Amino acid sequence: MNEQIQKRLVEAKESHIFPGAVVGWVKRDGTRGVVSCGRFTYDQDAVPIQSDSIFDVASLTKAIPTGSLALQLIEEGMLSLQDQVVKYIPEFNNSYCEQVLVKHLLTYSMLLDLKRPLSSYKDLLPEELLNVIMTTDLAYIPGTKFHYSNTPALLLGIILERITGKTLDVLADERFFLSLGMSRTTFHPNKFSKEEIVPTEIDDWRGEVRGVVHDEASYTLQKKMMPGCAGLFSTVPDLLIFMEMMLNEGSYKGKQYFSKEMMNAVQTNQLSILDESMGLGWELNQPRFMGTCANEHMFGKTGFTGCVILCDQEKGIACVMLSNRTYPKRPPDGTDINQVRCDIADIVFKQTLIV
């Protein structure tokens, strides 16, 4: 399997889909493999990608840790799927605001009627950007449509911080990363040397984007808060630990992070009435990035920088791919990287061994 993965990564690198990438897989019994390919940039003398190179994992942040933290607080009775968002964020004041529930945030079934991408507000002060988020009317009645955006995870992160009195980075360390041994996973990549962190883009606003969050709106908001939609940096080996825990029904090395019932909820379609596939905090059954083995219980998440995490509990295997497909300039769409994601998924999930 590793040879097949390596071959596909080399093909993608040579096609300039990304300068470099790391793919890892893990089975329920802890058996794992990691394959790396390429360099930090397309320069021949650039730093080679290592198995533990640190990537900006972009929107994987929405699931790990933001959504996962919310699921823990729900299990502990500190939060409910039926809680109104305005209960915790009274300044969230727009059309339908009193109808927006925590469940709508976890299932991405609410959307602000923004006239332009949230990232285009990057030059505002963080307080001004937050005001845009809090006062823009909703595009539709919450719970009536699925539409992926950054706002639900942003709001969810604020709720988590207000319930616990701790910032998102501290919560993530205390509840997941430290006890799981994810020592190279952080919201503060500056504690590592730049030679360990893969660059994501060269843009006109910041120059080379490296060691700071790639998402522009999150970059602005980080001056005031820890946004729940992006900002995490991690490695494939670290993320495989998290996925091994999820493969084992929320348990890792004798510690229970989620109950079996919550793991079932993660894999149960919450939006079947809308003819969409979304679990709690994770997407379900998405062939566009999960490949031909996508099924109603396979859950996963992508990240704009070129990342993907996928998990199939029935087969007992999960995989992670991290890349910097946005370097040096972001491509016009996700067609090429989604094809790579699908091909890697097919290699991994067509394995017949169930453990």
Side-chain angles (χ1 to χ4, degrees), residues 249-310:
E249 297 183 328
S251 177
Y252 184 78
K253 291 188 175 180
K255 182 170 181 178
Q256 200 73 34
Y257 293 85
F258 302 109
S259 67
K260 182 178 180 179
E261 291 73 23
M262 184 57 79
M263 286 305 305
N264 286 336
V266 165
Q267 303 167 75
T268 299
N269 189 3
Q270 306 292 322
L271 299 180
S272 56
I273 193 172
L274 303 181
D275 199 27
E276 300 282 358
S277 294
M278 186 75 201
L280 288 181
W282 294 83
E283 291 186 68
L284 301 176
N285 195 19
Q286 300 291 332
R288 66 184 172 84
F289 67 83
M290 294 180 177
T292 61
C293 294
N295 61 74
E296 62 181 359
H297 298 298
M298 182 184 286
F299 61 93
K301 186 76 193 70
T302 59
F304 186 78
T305 51
C307 316
V308 68
I309 287 185
L310 300 173

Side-chain angles (χ1 to χ4, degrees), residues 313-332:
Q313 270 203 321
E314 287 189 0
K315 283 197 170 184
I317 190 167
C319 72
V320 177
M321 181 177 81
L322 303 181
S323 78
N324 58 338
R325 66 112 186 182
T326 49
Y327 191 92
K329 297 292 182 183
R330 67 189 67 183

Side-chain angles (χ1 to χ4, degrees), residues 89 96 122 144 149 153 164 200 213 231 242 267 274 294 300 310 317 342 347:
I89 313 177
Y96 308 121
K122 64 183 184 296
T144 60
S149 71
T164 62
T200 52
V213 60
F242 198 96
Q267 303 167 75
L274 303 181
L310 300 173
I317 190 167
C342 287
I347 292 170

Side-chain angles (χ1 to χ4, degrees), residues 58 91 96 99 101 107 138 146-147 168 170 177 192 211 214-215 217 224 244 250 267 273 276 283 307-308 314 323 353:
E91 64 270 34
Y96 308 121
Q99 297 181 45
L101 308 179
T107 57
L138 270 65
F146 167 83
H147 197 291
L168 203 60
V170 171
F177 303 152
F192 297 99
H214 178 260
D215 178 70
K224 180 180 177 64
E244 182 182 342
Q267 303 167 75
I273 193 172
E276 300 282 358
E283 291 186 68
C307 316
V308 68
E314 287 189 0
S323 78
L353 180 62

Side-chain angles (χ1 to χ4, degrees), residues 69 72-73 76 78 164 170-180 255 257:
L69 287 167
Q72 274 200 343
L73 295 192
E76 294 169 14
M78 299 174 70
T164 62
V170 171
L171 282 173
D173 281 344
E174 289 182 353
R175 287 177 168 265
F176 291 119
F177 303 152
L178 294 178
S179 58
L180 285 168
K255 182 170 181 178
Y257 293 85

Side-chain angles (χ1 to χ4, degrees), residues 2 38 98 132 155 172 178 354:
N2 286 355
E98 293 190 354
V132 170
L155 294 172
L178 294 178
I354 300 176

